Amino acid sequence: MRRSRFLPIITTLLLLLAACTSPPNTAGLPEVELLTDDTGQEYILLDGTRYNRIPSEIIGSNHTGRWNRSAQPGQRVALLGPDSVFTVQGDEEQRFLFNVAESFRFGPVYQHSFLKEGYTLTLPQSATDFDRGTLRTYAQGGILGKGSVITCEFTDEALIAALFDCWNGTTETPPVPDNLDPDKRESRALELWSREYPFLGFYIRCSCWPDGTVTLTDREDTSVCLPGDVAKQLTWEEPGLWQRLTGGWRK
């Protein structure tokens, strides 16, 4: 019988798939439980240290603003049921933990974020909560696997304050034009980065139109228009394919 020339390729792919889906080595990791105190606060105990679960209303919403974890997983430190609990790269004090489902299973999968006792996280209260901002494209999947690209990065305190005040509704903004064509808008993710937790970025939906109008979605889920002197400080050019494939930032 003639051997298929594709058999070695198929075998290699199956071996790679098996390696990628093999269960992680969790031997020796402590097992933790999701506990609840008298006030209803959920938490876990890891080596005697309490980590409080961050409620979803504090994480926020994709519509009105949301804290997003950007850094990669650090160390696997515990097991929460069938899930692994990780630290965050760059968080040397291990203030922040989160659980990840590393294998397929039927039924709902809940990912929680935890903050060490003694630390707090709230929805942004002031522009001073941030020390950096970025504007990035949205990731696009497909056969090319294009990723998101940062097209603008800034640390100017006045610009951060102006953007925050527009989101927070504490500054007067121009009226949103009635003739904006949604099919011609260019959508981006505006993220203001936490000063205290550098791996957390506060995501705000943002869009630009060909005439230079820039809008964002505020904390009330309302589209507001950026003042012209603020909008012109943001870089909106579309990255080339190479930047989209590599995630590179074109200055």
Side-chain angles (χ1 to χ4, degrees), residues 171-220:
T171 189
E172 185 175 350
T173 57
V176 177
D178 295 328
N179 60 345
L180 295 179
D181 185 349
D183 293 331
K184 294 183 179 180
R185 71 181 176 187
E186 183 182 338
S187 296
R188 295 287 170 93
L190 171 66
E191 283 164 312
L192 302 178
W193 293 88
S194 170
R195 185 184 302 274
E196 185 174 7
Y197 308 111
F199 47 85
L200 290 181
F202 193 74
Y203 157 85
I204 301 171
R205 293 193 299 181
C206 198
S207 298
C208 180
W209 274 263
D211 66 355
T213 299
V214 179
T215 63
L216 59 78
T217 303
D218 68 10
R219 68 185 309 157
E220 301 298 330

Short mmCIF file of all heavy atoms in Angstrom, two decimals, residues 171-220:
data_model
loop_
_atom_site.label_atom_id
_atom_site.label_comp_id
_atom_site.label_asym_id
_atom_site.label_seq_id
_atom_site.Cartn_x
_atom_site.Cartn_y
_atom_site.Cartn_z
N THR A 171 -16.52 67.72 32.21
CA THR A 171 -16.10 68.84 31.37
C THR A 171 -17.11 69.02 30.24
O THR A 171 -17.81 68.06 29.86
CB THR A 171 -14.70 68.59 30.78
OG1 THR A 171 -14.23 69.78 30.14
CG2 THR A 171 -14.70 67.46 29.77
N GLU A 172 -17.22 70.22 29.73
CA GLU A 172 -18.15 70.48 28.63
C GLU A 172 -17.55 69.97 27.33
O GLU A 172 -16.38 70.22 27.03
CB GLU A 172 -18.43 71.98 28.54
CG GLU A 172 -19.49 72.33 27.51
CD GLU A 172 -19.84 73.81 27.52
OE1 GLU A 172 -19.40 74.50 28.46
OE2 GLU A 172 -20.54 74.25 26.59
N THR A 173 -18.34 69.24 26.58
CA THR A 173 -17.86 68.69 25.31
C THR A 173 -18.73 69.19 24.17
O THR A 173 -19.91 69.52 24.36
CB THR A 173 -17.91 67.15 25.33
OG1 THR A 173 -19.25 66.72 25.63
CG2 THR A 173 -16.96 66.59 26.38
N PRO A 174 -18.18 69.26 22.94
CA PRO A 174 -18.98 69.71 21.79
C PRO A 174 -20.11 68.71 21.52
O PRO A 174 -20.00 67.53 21.85
CB PRO A 174 -17.96 69.71 20.64
CG PRO A 174 -16.62 69.65 21.28
CD PRO A 174 -16.79 68.93 22.57
N PRO A 175 -21.18 69.19 20.91
CA PRO A 175 -22.26 68.26 20.55
C PRO A 175 -21.80 67.27 19.49
O PRO A 175 -20.98 67.59 18.63
CB PRO A 175 -23.36 69.18 20.01
CG PRO A 175 -22.65 70.43 19.58
CD PRO A 175 -21.48 70.58 20.52
N VAL A 176 -22.31 66.06 19.56
CA VAL A 176 -21.98 65.04 18.57
C VAL A 176 -22.75 65.37 17.28
O VAL A 176 -23.97 65.53 17.30
CB VAL A 176 -22.37 63.64 19.06
CG1 VAL A 176 -22.08 62.59 17.99
CG2 VAL A 176 -21.62 63.31 20.35
N PRO A 177 -22.06 65.50 16.14
CA PRO A 177 -22.75 65.82 14.88
C PRO A 177 -23.81 64.78 14.54
O PRO A 177 -23.66 63.60 14.82
CB PRO A 177 -21.61 65.83 13.85
CG PRO A 177 -20.37 66.11 14.64
CD PRO A 177 -20.60 65.45 15.97
N ASP A 178 -24.89 65.25 13.91
CA ASP A 178 -25.99 64.34 13.57
C ASP A 178 -25.72 63.51 12.32
O ASP A 178 -26.37 62.50 12.10
CB ASP A 178 -27.28 65.16 13.33
CG ASP A 178 -27.76 65.86 14.59
OD1 ASP A 178 -27.53 65.30 15.70
OD2 ASP A 178 -28.33 66.95 14.48
N ASN A 179 -24.76 63.94 11.51
CA ASN A 179 -24.58 63.29 10.20
C ASN A 179 -23.43 62.28 10.18
O ASN A 179 -22.91 61.95 9.11
CB ASN A 179 -24.33 64.36 9.13
CG ASN A 179 -23.09 65.20 9.44
OD1 ASN A 179 -22.59 65.18 10.56
ND2 ASN A 179 -22.61 65.93 8.44
N LEU A 180 -23.01 61.77 11.32
CA LEU A 180 -21.91 60.80 11.36
C LEU A 180 -22.37 59.46 10.79
O LEU A 180 -23.40 58.92 11.22
CB LEU A 180 -21.40 60.62 12.79
CG LEU A 180 -20.74 61.84 13.44
CD1 LEU A 180 -20.32 61.52 14.86
CD2 LEU A 180 -19.55 62.31 12.61
N ASP A 181 -21.63 58.96 9.83
CA ASP A 181 -21.97 57.69 9.19
C ASP A 181 -21.23 56.56 9.92
O ASP A 181 -19.99 56.49 9.86
CB ASP A 181 -21.54 57.72 7.72
CG ASP A 181 -21.96 56.47 6.96
OD1 ASP A 181 -22.40 55.49 7.61
OD2 ASP A 181 -21.83 56.46 5.72
N PRO A 182 -21.94 55.67 10.61
CA PRO A 182 -21.27 54.61 11.37
C PRO A 182 -20.43 53.68 10.50
O PRO A 182 -19.50 53.05 10.99
CB PRO A 182 -22.42 53.86 12.03
CG PRO A 182 -23.64 54.21 11.24
CD PRO A 182 -23.41 55.60 10.74
N ASP A 183 -20.74 53.62 9.20
CA ASP A 183 -19.96 52.75 8.31
C ASP A 183 -18.59 53.34 7.98
O ASP A 183 -17.73 52.63 7.45
CB ASP A 183 -20.73 52.50 7.01
CG ASP A 183 -21.99 51.68 7.23
OD1 ASP A 183 -22.00 50.86 8.17
OD2 ASP A 183 -22.96 51.86 6.47
N LYS A 184 -18.39 54.61 8.29
CA LYS A 184 -17.11 55.26 7.97
C LYS A 184 -16.25 55.52 9.21
O LYS A 184 -15.18 56.11 9.09
CB LYS A 184 -17.37 56.58 7.25
CG LYS A 184 -18.02 56.41 5.88
CD LYS A 184 -18.19 57.74 5.19
CE LYS A 184 -18.82 57.55 3.80
NZ LYS A 184 -19.01 58.85 3.10
N ARG A 185 -16.70 55.07 10.35
CA ARG A 185 -15.92 55.33 11.55
C ARG A 185 -14.77 54.33 11.68
O ARG A 185 -14.85 53.20 11.20
CB ARG A 185 -16.81 55.25 12.79
CG ARG A 185 -17.26 53.85 13.16
CD ARG A 185 -18.15 53.89 14.38
NE ARG A 185 -18.68 52.57 14.68
CZ ARG A 185 -19.59 52.32 15.61
NH1 ARG A 185 -20.06 53.33 16.33
NH2 ARG A 185 -20.02 51.10 15.82
N GLU A 186 -13.73 54.76 12.33
CA GLU A 186 -12.58 53.92 12.64
C GLU A 186 -12.56 53.74 14.16
O GLU A 186 -12.37 54.71 14.90
CB GLU A 186 -11.30 54.58 12.16
CG GLU A 186 -10.05 53.74 12.38
CD GLU A 186 -8.81 54.47 11.93
OE1 GLU A 186 -8.94 55.40 11.10
OE2 GLU A 186 -7.72 54.13 12.40
N SER A 187 -12.77 52.52 14.61
CA SER A 187 -12.89 52.27 16.04
C SER A 187 -11.54 51.91 16.64
O SER A 187 -10.74 51.19 16.03
CB SER A 187 -13.89 51.14 16.30
OG SER A 187 -15.19 51.50 15.88
N ARG A 188 -11.29 52.43 17.81
CA ARG A 188 -10.05 52.15 18.54
C ARG A 188 -10.38 51.93 20.02
O ARG A 188 -11.45 52.28 20.51
CB ARG A 188 -9.05 53.30 18.41
CG ARG A 188 -8.54 53.54 17.00
CD ARG A 188 -7.56 52.46 16.57
NE ARG A 188 -7.26 52.54 15.15
CZ ARG A 188 -6.23 53.20 14.64
NH1 ARG A 188 -5.42 53.87 15.43
NH2 ARG A 188 -6.02 53.19 13.34
N ALA A 189 -9.41 51.38 20.73
CA ALA A 189 -9.51 51.21 22.17
C ALA A 189 -8.60 52.23 22.84
O ALA A 189 -7.38 52.22 22.63
CB ALA A 189 -9.11 49.79 22.58
N LEU A 190 -9.19 53.12 23.61
CA LEU A 190 -8.42 54.07 24.40
C LEU A 190 -8.24 53.45 25.79
O LEU A 190 -9.21 53.04 26.42
CB LEU A 190 -9.18 55.39 24.50
CG LEU A 190 -8.63 56.43 25.48
CD1 LEU A 190 -7.27 56.93 25.01
CD2 LEU A 190 -9.61 57.60 25.61
N GLU A 191 -6.98 53.38 26.24
CA GLU A 191 -6.72 52.80 27.56
C GLU A 191 -5.87 53.76 28.39
O GLU A 191 -4.84 54.25 27.92
CB GLU A 191 -6.02 51.44 27.43
CG GLU A 191 -7.01 50.36 27.02
CD GLU A 191 -6.33 49.10 26.49
OE1 GLU A 191 -5.43 49.23 25.64
OE2 GLU A 191 -6.70 48.00 26.93
N LEU A 192 -6.35 54.05 29.59
CA LEU A 192 -5.61 54.84 30.56
C LEU A 192 -5.07 53.88 31.61
O LEU A 192 -5.83 53.10 32.19
CB LEU A 192 -6.51 55.90 31.19
CG LEU A 192 -7.17 56.89 30.20
CD1 LEU A 192 -8.07 57.86 30.94
CD2 LEU A 192 -6.11 57.64 29.40
N TRP A 193 -3.75 53.94 31.85
CA TRP A 193 -3.08 52.91 32.63
C TRP A 193 -2.92 53.33 34.08
O TRP A 193 -2.49 54.44 34.39
CB TRP A 193 -1.73 52.58 31.99
CG TRP A 193 -1.93 51.94 30.66
CD1 TRP A 193 -2.08 52.57 29.45
CD2 TRP A 193 -2.11 50.55 30.40
NE1 TRP A 193 -2.30 51.66 28.45
CE2 TRP A 193 -2.32 50.40 29.01
CE3 TRP A 193 -2.07 49.41 31.20
CZ2 TRP A 193 -2.52 49.16 28.41
CZ3 TRP A 193 -2.26 48.17 30.61
CH2 TRP A 193 -2.48 48.06 29.24
N SER A 194 -3.26 52.38 34.97
CA SER A 194 -3.25 52.63 36.40
C SER A 194 -1.84 52.98 36.89
O SER A 194 -0.86 52.31 36.55
CB SER A 194 -3.77 51.39 37.15
OG SER A 194 -3.54 51.51 38.54
N ARG A 195 -1.76 54.00 37.71
CA ARG A 195 -0.48 54.38 38.31
C ARG A 195 -0.07 53.35 39.37
O ARG A 195 1.11 53.00 39.48
CB ARG A 195 -0.62 55.76 38.95
CG ARG A 195 0.67 56.33 39.52
CD ARG A 195 0.39 57.66 40.21
NE ARG A 195 -0.20 58.64 39.32
CZ ARG A 195 0.49 59.45 38.53
NH1 ARG A 195 1.82 59.39 38.52
NH2 ARG A 195 -0.12 60.33 37.76
N GLU A 196 -1.03 52.84 40.12
CA GLU A 196 -0.72 51.90 41.21
C GLU A 196 -0.51 50.48 40.72
O GLU A 196 0.34 49.75 41.23
CB GLU A 196 -1.84 51.92 42.26
CG GLU A 196 -1.54 51.07 43.48
CD GLU A 196 -2.58 51.21 44.57
OE1 GLU A 196 -3.62 51.87 44.33
OE2 GLU A 196 -2.38 50.66 45.66
N TYR A 197 -1.31 50.07 39.71
CA TYR A 197 -1.22 48.71 39.17
C TYR A 197 -0.90 48.81 37.67
O TYR A 197 -1.81 48.83 36.85
CB TYR A 197 -2.53 47.94 39.38
CG TYR A 197 -3.03 47.97 40.81
CD1 TYR A 197 -4.19 48.68 41.15
CD2 TYR A 197 -2.35 47.30 41.82
CE1 TYR A 197 -4.66 48.70 42.44
CE2 TYR A 197 -2.81 47.32 43.13
CZ TYR A 197 -3.97 48.02 43.44
OH TYR A 197 -4.42 48.04 44.73
N PRO A 198 0.37 48.91 37.29
CA PRO A 198 0.75 49.18 35.90
C PRO A 198 0.26 48.14 34.90
O PRO A 198 0.24 48.42 33.70
CB PRO A 198 2.28 49.20 35.96
CG PRO A 198 2.63 49.48 37.38
CD PRO A 198 1.54 48.82 38.17
N PHE A 199 -0.14 46.96 35.37
CA PHE A 199 -0.62 45.92 34.47
C PHE A 199 -2.12 46.04 34.21
O PHE A 199 -2.69 45.21 33.50
CB PHE A 199 -0.30 44.53 35.05
CG PHE A 199 -0.65 44.40 36.52
CD1 PHE A 199 -1.94 44.06 36.91
CD2 PHE A 199 0.30 44.63 37.48
CE1 PHE A 199 -2.26 43.96 38.25
CE2 PHE A 199 -0.01 44.52 38.83
CZ PHE A 199 -1.30 44.18 39.22
N LEU A 200 -2.77 47.04 34.78
CA LEU A 200 -4.20 47.26 34.55
C LEU A 200 -4.41 48.53 33.72
O LEU A 200 -3.93 49.61 34.08
CB LEU A 200 -4.96 47.40 35.88
CG LEU A 200 -5.09 46.14 36.74
CD1 LEU A 200 -5.89 46.46 38.00
CD2 LEU A 200 -5.77 45.01 35.97
N GLY A 201 -5.12 48.39 32.61
CA GLY A 201 -5.47 49.53 31.79
C GLY A 201 -6.99 49.71 31.79
O GLY A 201 -7.73 48.73 31.68
N PHE A 202 -7.44 50.96 31.92
CA PHE A 202 -8.89 51.21 31.91
C PHE A 202 -9.32 51.48 30.48
O PHE A 202 -8.95 52.49 29.87
CB PHE A 202 -9.25 52.38 32.82
CG PHE A 202 -10.72 52.48 33.08
CD1 PHE A 202 -11.35 51.58 33.92
CD2 PHE A 202 -11.48 53.46 32.46
CE1 PHE A 202 -12.72 51.64 34.15
CE2 PHE A 202 -12.85 53.53 32.69
CZ PHE A 202 -13.46 52.62 33.53
N TYR A 203 -10.10 50.57 29.94
CA TYR A 203 -10.51 50.58 28.53
C TYR A 203 -11.72 51.49 28.32
O TYR A 203 -12.71 51.42 29.07
CB TYR A 203 -10.82 49.15 28.09
CG TYR A 203 -11.74 49.03 26.90
CD1 TYR A 203 -11.25 49.09 25.61
CD2 TYR A 203 -13.11 48.85 27.08
CE1 TYR A 203 -12.09 48.98 24.52
CE2 TYR A 203 -13.96 48.74 25.99
CZ TYR A 203 -13.45 48.80 24.72
OH TYR A 203 -14.30 48.70 23.65
N ILE A 204 -11.64 52.35 27.29
CA ILE A 204 -12.74 53.23 26.90
C ILE A 204 -12.92 53.11 25.38
O ILE A 204 -11.95 53.20 24.62
CB ILE A 204 -12.45 54.69 27.27
CG1 ILE A 204 -12.22 54.83 28.77
CG2 ILE A 204 -13.59 55.61 26.81
CD1 ILE A 204 -11.71 56.20 29.19
N ARG A 205 -14.15 52.91 24.93
CA ARG A 205 -14.40 52.82 23.49
C ARG A 205 -14.26 54.19 22.84
O ARG A 205 -14.74 55.19 23.37
CB ARG A 205 -15.81 52.26 23.24
CG ARG A 205 -15.96 50.81 23.68
CD ARG A 205 -17.23 50.21 23.13
NE ARG A 205 -18.43 50.90 23.60
CZ ARG A 205 -19.67 50.55 23.27
NH1 ARG A 205 -19.87 49.53 22.45
NH2 ARG A 205 -20.71 51.21 23.73
N CYS A 206 -13.61 54.20 21.68
CA CYS A 206 -13.28 55.46 21.03
C CYS A 206 -13.40 55.29 19.51
O CYS A 206 -13.09 54.22 18.98
CB CYS A 206 -11.86 55.85 21.42
SG CYS A 206 -11.42 57.56 21.15
N SER A 207 -13.86 56.32 18.80
CA SER A 207 -14.03 56.24 17.35
C SER A 207 -13.64 57.57 16.71
O SER A 207 -13.74 58.63 17.32
CB SER A 207 -15.48 55.91 16.97
OG SER A 207 -15.86 54.65 17.48
N CYS A 208 -13.20 57.47 15.44
CA CYS A 208 -12.84 58.66 14.67
C CYS A 208 -13.52 58.59 13.32
O CYS A 208 -13.66 57.50 12.74
CB CYS A 208 -11.31 58.72 14.50
SG CYS A 208 -10.73 60.15 13.57
N TRP A 209 -13.93 59.76 12.80
CA TRP A 209 -14.55 59.86 11.47
C TRP A 209 -13.63 60.64 10.52
O TRP A 209 -12.74 61.35 10.97
CB TRP A 209 -15.90 60.56 11.60
CG TRP A 209 -17.01 59.61 11.94
CD1 TRP A 209 -17.89 59.03 11.08
CD2 TRP A 209 -17.37 59.11 13.24
NE1 TRP A 209 -18.78 58.21 11.76
CE2 TRP A 209 -18.48 58.24 13.08
CE3 TRP A 209 -16.86 59.31 14.52
CZ2 TRP A 209 -19.07 57.59 14.13
CZ3 TRP A 209 -17.44 58.65 15.58
CH2 TRP A 209 -18.54 57.80 15.38
N PRO A 210 -13.85 60.49 9.21
CA PRO A 210 -12.97 61.13 8.22
C PRO A 210 -12.82 62.63 8.39
O PRO A 210 -11.77 63.19 8.03
CB PRO A 210 -13.63 60.78 6.88
CG PRO A 210 -14.37 59.50 7.15
CD PRO A 210 -14.86 59.61 8.56
N ASP A 211 -13.81 63.31 8.93
CA ASP A 211 -13.71 64.77 9.08
C ASP A 211 -12.93 65.17 10.32
O ASP A 211 -12.80 66.36 10.62
CB ASP A 211 -15.10 65.40 9.10
CG ASP A 211 -15.92 65.01 10.32
OD1 ASP A 211 -15.44 64.15 11.11
OD2 ASP A 211 -17.02 65.55 10.51
N GLY A 212 -12.40 64.18 11.07
CA GLY A 212 -11.60 64.47 12.25
C GLY A 212 -12.37 64.44 13.55
O GLY A 212 -11.79 64.58 14.63
N THR A 213 -13.70 64.23 13.49
CA THR A 213 -14.49 64.11 14.70
C THR A 213 -14.08 62.85 15.47
O THR A 213 -13.96 61.78 14.89
CB THR A 213 -16.00 64.04 14.37
OG1 THR A 213 -16.39 65.24 13.70
CG2 THR A 213 -16.83 63.87 15.62
N VAL A 214 -13.86 62.99 16.76
CA VAL A 214 -13.51 61.86 17.61
C VAL A 214 -14.52 61.78 18.75
O VAL A 214 -14.82 62.79 19.41
CB VAL A 214 -12.09 62.01 18.19
CG1 VAL A 214 -11.76 60.82 19.10
CG2 VAL A 214 -11.06 62.11 17.08
N THR A 215 -15.07 60.60 18.95
CA THR A 215 -16.03 60.40 20.04
C THR A 215 -15.54 59.27 20.93
O THR A 215 -14.77 58.40 20.52
CB THR A 215 -17.42 60.04 19.50
OG1 THR A 215 -17.36 58.79 18.80
CG2 THR A 215 -17.96 61.12 18.58
N LEU A 216 -15.99 59.30 22.17
CA LEU A 216 -15.78 58.17 23.08
C LEU A 216 -17.06 57.90 23.84
O LEU A 216 -17.96 58.74 23.90
CB LEU A 216 -14.59 58.42 24.01
CG LEU A 216 -14.58 59.63 24.95
CD1 LEU A 216 -15.46 59.41 26.20
CD2 LEU A 216 -13.16 59.94 25.39
N THR A 217 -17.14 56.72 24.42
CA THR A 217 -18.31 56.33 25.21
C THR A 217 -18.01 56.62 26.67
O THR A 217 -17.04 56.09 27.22
CB THR A 217 -18.63 54.84 25.02
OG1 THR A 217 -18.83 54.58 23.62
CG2 THR A 217 -19.89 54.46 25.78
N ASP A 218 -18.84 57.45 27.29
CA ASP A 218 -18.55 57.86 28.66
C ASP A 218 -19.09 56.86 29.68
O ASP A 218 -19.61 55.80 29.32
CB ASP A 218 -19.08 59.27 28.92
CG ASP A 218 -20.61 59.36 28.91
OD1 ASP A 218 -21.29 58.31 28.90
OD2 ASP A 218 -21.13 60.50 28.92
N ARG A 219 -18.97 57.18 30.94
CA ARG A 219 -19.35 56.25 32.00
C ARG A 219 -20.85 56.05 32.10
O ARG A 219 -21.33 55.16 32.81
CB ARG A 219 -18.79 56.73 33.34
CG ARG A 219 -19.39 58.00 33.89
CD ARG A 219 -18.67 58.42 35.18
NE ARG A 219 -18.58 57.33 36.13
CZ ARG A 219 -17.67 57.26 37.10
NH1 ARG A 219 -16.75 58.21 37.24
NH2 ARG A 219 -17.66 56.26 37.94
N GLU A 220 -21.62 56.87 31.38
CA GLU A 220 -23.08 56.70 31.33
C GLU A 220 -23.51 55.98 30.06
O GLU A 220 -24.69 55.95 29.74
CB GLU A 220 -23.76 58.07 31.42
CG GLU A 220 -23.43 58.86 32.67
CD GLU A 220 -23.88 58.16 33.94
OE1 GLU A 220 -24.88 57.41 33.89
OE2 GLU A 220 -23.20 58.36 34.98
#
